[in-house]
Amino acid sequence: MVDSLKQHPRPHIQRHQVHKFGGSSLKNASSVQLVANRIQQFAQPGDFIVVSANGKMTDMLFNLINGEAKAEARISQYIMPLVSELLGSDHDLLQSISKDLNDIQSLHNIDNVNCLLAYGELWSAQILAACLQQQSLQADWLDARHLFRINDQDHSFDHHRLNSSLARLKAKSPHAFHIITGYIATNQAGKTITLGRNGSDYTATLLAEALHATEVHLWTDVDGIYTADPNVLPEAVKISTLSLCEAQALSELGSNVLHQQTISPLLNNPCNIIIRQTDKQHTGTTISRHGHTEQQVKTIASKHGLVLFNINHLSEWEAKRFQTALLAQHIYSYTNRFDKTQHALHFCVADSDAFVVNQLAKAHNLHIVQQAKQQSLISLVGQNIRQSHDILNTILKRSAQFEITTFYYPANEHTLCVLLPESNANLLLRDLHHSFFGLPPSIPIIVLGHGNIGQTFVQLLKDKQQEIETTLGQSLSLWAVASSQKQQTDRSGLLNKTIELSEGLPVFDVLADLKGKAAVVIDLTASEVLAQQYPEWAQSAWHIISANKVAAADKELAKETQDWIHKNKRLWLKNTTVGAALPIQSSIQKLKASGDVIKRISGVFSGSLSWLLNNYQGQDFTLWVKQAKDQGYSEPDPRDDLSGQDVYRKALILAQEAGFNPKHIQFEPLLPESFLSGSLIDFWGLADDIDHYVHALWLQAQAEDKKLCYLADISADTINISLQALPLSHPAAQIQASDNVFVVESQNYSNNPLVIQGPGAGREVTAAGVLNDLIDVLKAS
């Protein structure tokens, strides 16, 4: 009695796996052999193997249908050597395929197009089955038209027919590898039909559903699904797992790896999809029903070459009917949105489908309008990301830098989409990828000037890139470098590229769309023309960093620039206009902010003249001037230094920072005006006279045991600038070559003034000062 009540274990039901191999995995003899090896390694007897046509065979058959000359010959020249190499020149399959090639000649009418296309999969299945048999493995092959019968009206399958056929096949050869043709099926009338793009993947998942398979392996030429298209972004990384809802969302966006119909059979079945690369043994991406609770972006999909359409004056029922008509033509639409208030349908299709879409609209008596072409759809995909305010804010903030056609929120909770012109799509893709999978890009950086300081600054930026990016939590986006005549622009960034300027459009013409968007312009020139553009840059809502002194020294120009800077909540940093990297301007600003009152600023303001006068020991002075220019210690035109204009501009800048309004200005150049007028060539032509003049001054100072120094002294109403012979004990006479010294007297620093001293000239220190300013701007942006 007790024994009769025992529960006996249920008999084990073998659950088969399905493997699908795409055309690229079967393109030649070595590829087919590799597929046979993969079947032995990863499949079990009784499993089902779905195959696409070998290589580009489907394209060749389409060429034949379209009447391309010699198409039949190309097909024969491809398939016959493939069979011979794999199976031998006397294999029966050669005769069978040869007969098929003869039969193809009778299928050149449109009614038999699908029958003709079916040969690609039929040959592929027979070739692989024969290859396995040659390796002493049990293998059979089956034409999928004996399995799949599809209703033309609602696209449903005859499940009874499918299950019966599978049961007979398993009963006949339970331990064989079953090779099934992908892509093809029949309709209710028994006519051959195809399953559209990625049709073999669809065949595989339909089989998996019917077999209650635990896994379906899609073997292809890619190593899984990546965080973005690795052909566009080499830094994209493979995703190890996706939830089924994420995969479905990705498939609805026209993924090249996952098609929408591929996912649909498995939505109600506990079957994992594993995407693998045929020539690699490790697992690629696994798609499972097991979701995750965290809201994170898993991948960014991109779809290019889209056309945006709008159909007005239609009901919601008419919109659905039209969308069904599109699907019947294997036309997939994106960003579908029906506006109930406007009675309008908005959607995108591939450019190649636009003509058919127009024809269908006319057939349905609908008025269709093409709103935009050459559009791209960039889509974030991740489980429940629509519920994340952080993710939504990030995509809105990053997209604000680009011209956007529209945002799109699909019906599911796992996708956020941006439609924009194709020209900027990959830039937004890169920006978003950095934001979600790395460091968000900084605002665009534009460097003007590629001389001594410009080249040194760009190299410094490259050398310190990793350190700066780690500190800021941003990736540096150097978009442009320009000189007076040449430029190089690349919105994907220049820091990892060789800087090679070339002639082209002016840099601000290339970057015209940046107006009104955050960017930082770094002026490392001495150009008065560029300085006049500062108000326009500030009005465009750009930050400005100046090593150029012209605008900062011009009271009216500086005020106009600063007014726009303040209005647009931007920064204008000009610390390197005085003292290179020395913190003289920031120190004055902090003293004033603390309530202190600046009374006087004096010292050696020119690192260039400091370098010259410290190194000069009676030799030819102009040789030292040339050396200063070559080593980056002087302005591009050294006369700006020798005339005292550079010091005068610095004095005006510091006077403005201190709040002075000097009316009495006593300014003496280091060299008389007679040496400085004319061209730069004229200046060098006077070298001997200049050398004699400076030598006489130096001898007089030496005779008095003094040293030549070019000094500036600023107070509330006076500026004094002149060359002076100072006692050797004077602090200004004791500084090192290229040093500046600034003596700041204030209400709090009266008896013991604040002294700031250090290198005030040289490409390295100036570049370092500019970099400090840039870091401050990026921190604030």
Side-chain angles (χ1 to χ4, degrees), residues 81-93:
L82 175 63
V83 176
S84 296
E85 185 176 351
L86 278 168
L87 306 174
S89 58
D90 57 349
H91 198 278
D92 292 344
L93 188 55

Side-chain angles (χ1 to χ4, degrees), residues 280-319:
K280 294 182 179 179
Q281 296 193 35
H282 56 75
T283 302
T285 300
T286 299
I287 300 168
S288 70
R289 300 188 65 81
H290 303 296
H292 45 80
T293 56
E294 70 272 16
Q295 297 163 350
Q296 67 179 74
V297 176
K298 296 293 284 293
T299 185
I300 306 177
S302 53
K303 192 75 177 175
H304 305 293
L306 299 178
V307 179
L308 176 61
F309 283 107
N310 181 45
I311 301 178
N312 293 313
H313 311 302
L314 78 170
S315 67
E316 189 170 4
W317 178 82
E318 287 175 314

Side-chain angles (χ1 to χ4, degrees), residues 495-655:
L495 285 180
N496 296 319
K497 298 179 175 64
T498 302
I499 304 298
E500 296 177 337
L501 306 191
S502 58
E503 293 183 358
L505 290 172
V507 65
F508 290 114
D509 287 353
V510 178
L511 302 175
D513 61 311
L514 279 180
K515 288 186 176 181
K517 301 171 184 176
V520 54
V521 180
I522 303 174
D523 183 5
L524 304 180
T525 74
S527 168
E528 294 191 16
V529 174
L530 285 180
Q532 295 299 322
Q533 297 182 39
Y534 278 27
E536 181 182 345
W537 298 347
Q539 190 174 357
S540 296
W542 298 340
H543 300 279
I544 303 173
I545 296 174
S546 306
N548 185 344
K549 305 170 186 65
V550 174
D554 185 319
K555 188 173 182 179
E556 295 302 319
L557 187 57
K559 184 181 184 304
E560 185 181 1
T561 302
Q562 193 61 57
D563 286 346
W564 278 111
I565 288 286
H566 179 74
K567 181 177 181 179
N568 287 321
K569 298 179 181 179
R570 296 297 188 247
L571 293 175
W572 177 19
L573 300 185
K574 45 191 181 293
N575 290 309
T576 54
T577 57
V578 183
L582 295 176
I584 176 59
Q585 293 186 67
S586 59
S587 295
I588 292 172
Q589 292 162 5
K590 288 176 182 177
L591 287 175
K592 290 177 63 181
S594 70
D596 202 354
V597 178
I598 310 297
K599 295 183 176 180
R600 182 184 179 197
I601 307 170
S602 61
V604 176
F605 291 5
S606 173
S608 307
L609 296 183
S610 172
W611 187 88
L612 280 170
L613 296 174
N614 267 284
N615 282 300
Y616 181 70
Q617 298 297 322
Q619 311 93 328
D620 291 342
F621 181 72
T622 50
L623 291 179
W624 284 105
V625 174
K626 289 179 180 178
Q627 190 173 340
K629 182 178 183 298
D630 293 341
Q631 295 184 14
Y633 285 109
S634 76
E635 294 294 310
D637 185 343
R639 292 177 299 173
D640 285 345
D641 293 303
L642 300 173
S643 67
Q645 281 297 322
D646 183 62
V647 173
Y648 178 53
R649 286 173 179 151
K650 290 176 180 178
L652 290 174
I653 293 169
L654 292 183

Side-chain angles (χ1 to χ4, degrees), residues 447-455 457-458 481-484 501 522-525 530:
V447 175
L448 306 180
H450 199 239
N452 284 327
I453 296 173
Q455 292 179 35
F457 171 72
V458 171
V481 177
S483 64
S484 59
L501 306 191
I522 303 174
D523 183 5
L524 304 180
T525 74
L530 285 180

